[in-house]
Each structure stands twice: as C-alpha cells, then as structure tokens.
Amino acid sequence: MPRSVTRARLAAFCLALLAALPATAAPALKRGINFEVWQTWTGRDAFLAPEFDRGNFPDWMGRIDDRQLASLKAEGFDFVRLNIDAAALLWAGDDGAGPLIGRIVAATERLQALGFAVIVDMHLLPIDQERPDGLQDVLGTDDHAPILWDRYLALVTRLAGRLAVLPADKTLLEPINEPNQDWGSYIALADRWPDQLAALREAARQAAPTLTLVLTGGRSGGIDGLARLDPVPFADDPNIVWTFHYYDPMVVSHAGRPWVDDPGRYLTHLPYPASQVDEAGGKQLLRAARSRIAREVADPSRRRELDIAVGEALDDYRTSEAGPATIAADFQRVSNWAAENGVPPERVLLGEFGIFQDEADPASRIALIEATRDAAEDKGFAWAVYSAGLTSAGKGFAVIGDDRSLTLEPKVKAALGLGDK
C-alpha cells in the first residue's frame, strides 16, 4: 500500500478520534514577542561542519540566562513565538533531527518555566545560495518541485509528538512560516494551499490530537492569503489559532534593508503617516536616495533604473494615504473573515509586525508600531512583535534596547502599550 494512502487513512482516524475527545482550551494569547531564527546567521555548510555546536540550538540558549528572560517577561509579554530554522532539521537528516527536536523542546520548557506560553514556529525560509532546502522545495513554488514535502510532513509529525506532552495551556505549534503558495492563482478554487495546509494539520494530528496549532493562509501568510482561505474544512478542530503577518506600508517598515537591491534599499527615513511628506520633504528624500544610489551602484544602467524607481516609489507612498486608518481598514478585513466563519477574535493572531530600524525615521518607527498594535487590540487579536533582538539591541527589527538586561526601548514599550502593564 502506498505511504500516502496509509498516511491519509491514519490522519482520518486521528481526526475522528479528535472529534470524540473533549476540547482542550487553547492557550490564552495576548501580547507576544518573536525570538529570531538565528542570533548568528548560519548557512547549511556552517551548520553541517564538524565544529558546529548543535547542542546550542536554538543558538540563543547558550547566550541568554534565565535572569535576562525573566526581565523580558516582566516587560509585559505573556508568550514567545519561538522561530526555529526548519531547514536545519532537514539538513540534519532523519537521525540528526531527533537531538535538534530535543533542543527545541528544552528551549520551550525553559521559557514555560518562566511563565511564557510558547508558539514553536517552524520558520521555513525561501532558498538562497547558502541555505538550500527551503520553502520552494517543500511547497513546490517558484517552478520548483515539492521534493521535500513528504520529509517535511514527517518532521511536523515528530515535533508535534514531542510537544504534545507539554502543558496544553502553554504550548502551540506553527507548522510553517509565511507559505509562498498561490501568488499566481487568480481564483481561490484553483489555490493549492488549502490542501497543503490540511496535510500539515493532519501530519500534526497523527501524533498530537489536541495540541493547539497556529495556521495561516497562503500568499506568504498575509491578509490576502487568510481572507481567501475557507476555514470550514478545519471547523471540526477546536484547537486552532489563525494567524497573519502585517508590515504595511512596506516602504516604511522595510526601508534600507541591505539584503534586497530594490528602491526601498535607497529610499529611507520616510515620515509616517504618509500625509507628513510635503513637497519640500519629498524632494529632500529623493535627493538623499539618489545620492546613495550614485555612491553604491556602479552600473550606469542600473543607476538610471533606480533613480526613476525611487521617484515612483515615493509618489506611490504619498498617494497611498498610509496611516492608522488604512491599517484599521486592513484589519477590518480580517475581522470580517473571522466573523463570517465563526472564528472568535481571540483565536486570531497578528504573528509578526515591526520595522527595520537601521534606516528608519525614529518617530515613524514608533508611530507605525503603535498604530499596528492598536489596530490589532481594537479587533481583539493577540499580537507578537517582530523581533526581540536578544543579542543585537538597537539593530535590525530589534525592540530590545539593552541586550544585557533584555529590557525594551522605553518608546517602543509605550508604543506596545506595555508601559502600565
């Protein structure tokens, strides 16, 4: 009998068993923080090298002590979204994945002992030159074949089984991060993601019938993906939290990121909301962007393209009317989807939001964090800010202001509504 048939029958049996079990109360999530996939970024070759310390996985475990984690808990967070590099589990192979899963469980238990609920997030990322075996080879996207799909389902089952014995009110599993499926699908009926999501749920349920799962829509886990997903096939499962990520406007939240060569790399320090960009300010922003392009881009043809593109990006931002009202309208779409499908707002999670601070206007950074958090709470959604910055305070997406005490930057703490918690 083919393995796929056996797996399908087993999944059907587990779901039938699930329906007969009493519902387990899902953890009550309110205010959370993401822990980064790596503190020191690691590619496959480095990970597989004999000298790599796999006993320090995830790699914040050997850098952060319980006193620091307790300090972070005291800032007002009740849960951690624990980003785990799912590709590393694939790199390690079937035998090597077991000890890594043991380390994930140990990290989860350590956080729970300090009072956090924990979402174990299998944070699978797109492939790059140093990091093969990513989203495309698992999901079959970007013209790749899903050559790792069966292996990935098996990992979900293994991890779910290990997490199933932990406290039910503090343990959740998110089986995949930002699935980049269905960007080219024009009608929801043709989407591939619903079947893949069902298979991920079934893989987890084989070993963990009542473990709370955090599930998302396609199209990289944003609002569009969630809004086009029909949750009716999952209605028999009482232990699901639905999640989405939100970084709009991207021209502000991701400005200056050095790993992408697009207009946003050069058009930086934008005011937020967009209404704050006047004519004189716009000209100054363009001059600064084009000066950076002149300094950093050697190819004349590419410089000309970018000179035009940054002007178009600024025009688009100014006409977008981006501000708290547009965020509220976007979150209303999620609220409508939840209401139409019988999903209580407390079962909806804003799993990531934040801003890349290295080239951001400081006031805009605080304003965008506050507006996004406020919109989530207004709809009754839980949220998890991205990201902690456990060992990189004041850099990237970090919200921590002191990587020794793990305390938040005061203005960020106020923007997250934690000042009086």
Side-chain angles (χ1 to χ4, degrees):
M1 182 179 295
R3 286 180 59 196
S4 60
V5 174
T6 303
R7 186 165 54 240
R9 289 181 176 176
L10 180 58
F13 171 79
C14 288
L15 288 174
L17 178 63
L18 171 65
L21 292 173
T24 301
L29 307 177
K30 291 185 178 179
R31 301 176 294 272
I33 189 166
N34 281 265
F35 281 12
E36 298 86 340
V37 172
W38 294 103
Q39 305 304 308
T40 301
W41 197 251
T42 304
R44 182 181 65 178
D45 291 348
F47 183 81
L48 294 178
E51 63 272 16
F52 185 83
D53 181 11
R54 294 196 194 178
N56 188 30
F57 181 87
D59 69 340
W60 59 266
M61 286 278 279
R63 295 164 172 258
I64 304 298
D65 62 34
D66 285 354
R67 176 189 56 81
Q68 292 169 294
L69 292 172
S71 177
L72 183 61
K73 179 71 172 64
E75 293 289 76
F77 297 109
D78 55 81
F79 72 96
V80 168
R81 183 172 180 255
L82 180 58
N83 302 170
I84 297 296
D85 191 354
L89 302 178
L90 295 168
W91 299 336
D94 291 345
D95 292 337
L100 296 179
I101 290 173
R103 296 298 301 155
I104 295 168
V105 173
T108 302
E109 291 178 317
R110 183 178 172 193
L111 291 167
Q112 289 175 340
L114 293 166
F116 290 106
V118 179
I119 299 171
V120 176
D121 160 40
M122 296 180 70
H123 205 93
L124 193 64
L125 295 165
I127 295 167
D128 66 27
Q129 187 173 1
E130 295 183 355
R131 298 177 50 78
D133 306 328
L135 270 171
Q136 295 94 326
D137 285 341
V138 171
L139 296 180
T141 54
D142 297 342
D143 298 321
H144 287 237
I147 57 176
L148 298 174
W149 177 243
D150 285 343
R151 283 189 60 200
Y152 193 82
L153 291 178
L155 281 174
V156 171
T157 300
R158 289 182 71 180
L159 182 54
R162 295 292 299 276
L163 295 175
V165 299
L166 300 185
D169 62 339
K170 291 185 178 180
T171 311
L172 307 91
L173 172 63
E174 187 170 348
I176 201 164
N177 174 70
E178 296 186 352
N180 64 338
Q181 190 61 274
D182 296 329
W183 280 110
S185 177
Y186 294 101
I187 58 172
L189 288 175
D191 286 358
R192 297 178 61 195
W193 178 241
D195 287 343
Q196 290 184 315
L197 181 62
L200 287 166
R201 189 267 297 260
E202 291 166 2
R205 289 291 176 242
Q206 288 180 32
T210 60
L211 175 67
T212 297
L213 303 179
V214 180
L215 305 182
T216 190
R219 297 194 172 188
S220 300
I223 290 177
D224 285 346
L226 188 63
R228 67 192 282 123
L229 181 72
D230 180 5
V232 169
F234 303 87
D236 61 343
D237 193 332
N239 298 316
I240 290 177
V241 170
W242 294 98
T243 189
F244 69 100
H245 295 178
Y246 191 85
Y247 287 101
D248 285 354
M250 288 280 287
V251 70
V252 176
S253 69
H254 283 62
R257 64 203 190 282
W259 58 88
V260 179
D261 185 29
D262 67 1
R265 179 172 178 171
Y266 307 97
L267 184 63
T268 63
H269 297 87
L270 289 165
Y272 177 85
S275 59
Q276 293 187 6
V277 184
D278 57 20
E279 193 68 28
K283 290 179 179 179
Q284 184 176 351
L285 290 165
L286 277 183
R287 282 195 299 270
R290 288 168 175 160
S291 177
R292 286 190 67 178
I293 292 167
R295 292 193 309 269
E296 299 176 18
V297 181
D299 179 61
S301 176
R302 180 60 178 157
R303 282 203 304 268
R304 287 192 294 271
E305 290 175 359
L306 286 168
D307 281 346
I308 294 170
V310 293
E312 293 173 344
L314 181 61
D315 288 342
D316 289 344
Y317 177 56
R318 292 184 65 184
T319 59
S320 70
E321 300 182 352
T326 59
I327 298 175
D330 287 341
F331 283 28
Q332 184 62 50
R333 291 179 60 201
V334 178
S335 186
N336 291 345
W337 173 87
E340 290 165 4
N341 291 287
V343 176
E346 62 270 19
R347 292 295 186 97
V348 178
L349 166 66
L350 170 59
E352 286 187 19
F353 70 104
I355 183 168
F356 183 75
Q357 65 181 288
D358 296 16
E359 297 290 343
D361 173 74
S364 295
R365 175 178 174 241
I366 299 303
L368 183 55
I369 290 172
E370 181 173 13
T372 309
R373 185 272 307 172
D374 187 61
E377 291 186 351
D378 182 66
K379 299 303 180 187
F381 306 156
W383 53 259
V385 66
Y386 190 91
S387 61
L390 295 177
T391 59
S392 58
K395 299 177 183 178
F397 286 87
V399 296
I400 287 172
D402 184 341
D403 57 14
R404 291 166 298 181
S405 66
L406 298 194
T407 52
L408 298 176
E409 297 175 48
K411 290 183 179 179
V412 170
K413 185 170 182 176
L416 291 173
L418 299 175
D420 57 352
K421 303 297 181 183

